[in-house]
Amino acid sequence: MANSVSSQRGTFTNSYPVVVEHQNIIDNNRVEEIIRSVGDQDGQRTRAKCYRTQWDMHEVSAEIRKIGTTAIEVAHKHPLAGRTSPDGTPEEISYGIRECWGLIYSQGQETRPHSHWPSTWAFVYNVKSCPKCSPLILPSNGVHPDTKIHPVDGQLTLFPAWLNHEVPSQPCEHERIIVAGNLDIVWRLNWDTKTLETNLSEDV
């Protein structure tokens, strides 16, 4: 007889950090030039229905890599949770930039709801926008209002990558330009496979 497997979904009250900081770290005009120079990689294939660059812009441009490293610094200041080593010593979590790309929204273009799972943090840096441009929206569960972050040039936003988010249709005639990316935890294992196999056999 086959085993019976059940699955449940719950509605939880956890709140998650959405960090918004203004960063005067780079020349936004230069970043815009770089985003335009690499070309459109056909955003129609993703949830972003607009101009989209390749995924490894942090490897292409030192300026864009600076946005990612700044996102890492902000993530360290706002940990999602604590972690300790087996002896109880607090551990600092190391992050790396997994992907980083540029987006240009023309009037009427949008990004449909999605998440960046399984990355840990997602970040968005506003390169060129105005307060009337489309906001970044993190939908709520219907009980609380959605979180809406209206763009400001130089603004860096971080949020847990598994949260759904979207950008509604761009209302302005001018373009809305951003750099987006994902941070992942960099795990450092302190044993090799042979040592691990030896320890496991001794435990048995």
Side-chain angles (χ1 to χ4, degrees):
M1 181 177 179
N3 292 331
S4 175
V5 178
S6 63
S7 177
Q8 297 185 31
R9 288 184 177 270
T11 299
F12 304 97
T13 58
N14 299 59
S15 61
Y16 299 101
V18 177
V19 184
V20 181
E21 292 191 3
H22 189 83
Q23 299 287 338
N24 185 21
I25 53 176
I26 51 174
D27 181 349
N28 284 350
N29 291 328
R30 175 60 183 149
V31 173
E32 178 182 349
E33 291 175 3
I34 294 165
I35 291 173
R36 293 187 187 279
S37 69
V38 298
D40 186 5
Q41 303 299 308
D42 190 4
Q44 299 306 311
R45 297 179 182 177
T46 70
R47 304 298 284 178
K49 307 305 178 185
C50 62
Y51 176 110
R52 177 186 59 77
T53 69
Q54 62 206 59
W55 302 110
D56 62 346
M57 291 299 294
H58 59 295
E59 300 292 346
V60 173
S61 159
E63 290 92 340
I64 292 180
R65 183 165 60 252
K66 177 63 175 176
I67 297 171
T69 56
T70 301
I72 290 174
E73 294 171 4
V74 174
H76 281 306
K77 293 190 295 183
H78 302 274
L80 290 171
R83 178 180 170 84
T84 58
S85 63
D87 66 3
T89 305
E91 291 187 4
E92 180 175 331
I93 302 300
S94 296
Y95 293 105
I97 306 168
R98 181 175 179 83
E99 299 112 356
C100 195
W101 61 97
L103 296 170
I104 301 177
Y105 294 84
S106 296
Q107 189 174 34
Q109 294 183 328
E110 65 180 357
T111 290
R112 296 171 183 171
H114 67 291
S115 75
H116 293 183
W117 168 260
S119 290
T120 307
W121 285 99
F123 64 88
V124 175
Y125 176 80
N126 288 306
V127 178
K128 184 178 182 180
S129 58
C130 83
K132 294 182 179 180
C133 285
S134 297
L136 170 67
I137 297 179
L138 291 89
S140 185
N141 59 6
V143 176
H144 302 286
D146 295 342
T147 298
K148 295 183 179 182
I149 301 169
H150 294 274
V152 177
D153 291 359
Q155 177 179 278
L156 178 65
T157 302
L158 271 75
F159 54 92
W162 60 84
L163 294 180
N164 279 337
H165 56 284
E166 61 186 282
V167 175
S169 176
Q170 164 69 344
C172 300
E173 293 183 358
H174 61 80
E175 294 170 324
R176 175 185 186 274
I177 304 176
I178 68 165
V179 170
N182 295 320
L183 305 180
D184 279 12
I185 295 174
V186 179
W187 293 107
R188 291 184 174 87
L189 301 180
N190 296 321
W191 58 78
D192 57 30
T193 304
K194 185 175 181 180
T195 302
L196 179 60
E197 290 174 348
T198 301
N199 291 341
L200 289 175
S201 64
E202 290 175 351
D203 290 341
V204 173

